[in-house]
Amino acid sequence: MAKKGKKKRAERDIPQIVSDKIVEAMSNGVSPWQKPWKDDGTVRGLPYNPTTGKTYQGSNIMLLQIAAIQKGYSSEQWMGYGQSEALG
């Protein structure tokens, strides 16, 4: 039962989202599960949350690594919006 005052999250098809991201990355010439021959300085390790110190798990690993490659991020640190807002 949903709590009053909270919006129910929209149902998401996680397997479809992951599949779409993989296909998109492959279409752009990126295989997120393979290390490139030339290290371009992006995505050095597993994504983790610097606030909690926990490493992301499951499909989040691949989704965050694909996002980092596509956006050219050099850090493997990720956190939720609420956490970043709390840290200013």
Side-chain angles (χ1 to χ4, degrees):
M1 180 179 223
K3 293 182 180 180
K4 284 188 176 184
K6 289 200 174 199
K7 292 182 182 178
K8 183 179 176 186
R9 278 191 173 175
E11 293 291 323
R12 299 187 305 176
D13 185 358
I14 300 300
Q16 187 62 53
I17 292 169
V18 172
S19 296
D20 291 346
K21 291 289 184 181
I22 292 170
V23 169
E24 179 185 353
M26 290 174 64
S27 297
N28 293 328
V30 175
S31 298
W33 54 88
Q34 295 179 332
K35 180 169 173 51
W37 290 106
K38 181 181 176 193
D39 189 352
D40 63 1
T42 61
V43 189
R44 295 183 303 253
L46 290 176
Y48 73 95
N49 185 310
T51 305
T52 64
K54 293 182 180 179
T55 302
Y56 285 89
Q57 298 179 354
S59 60
N60 286 329
I61 294 170
M62 188 171 292
L63 291 172
L64 294 173
Q65 287 181 331
I66 289 171
I69 291 167
Q70 289 175 337
K71 297 180 183 298
Y73 295 159
S74 61
S75 174
E76 60 278 343
Q77 298 179 28
W78 294 83
M79 66 178 69
Y81 178 81
Q83 290 174 324
S84 63
E85 190 174 59
L87 292 172

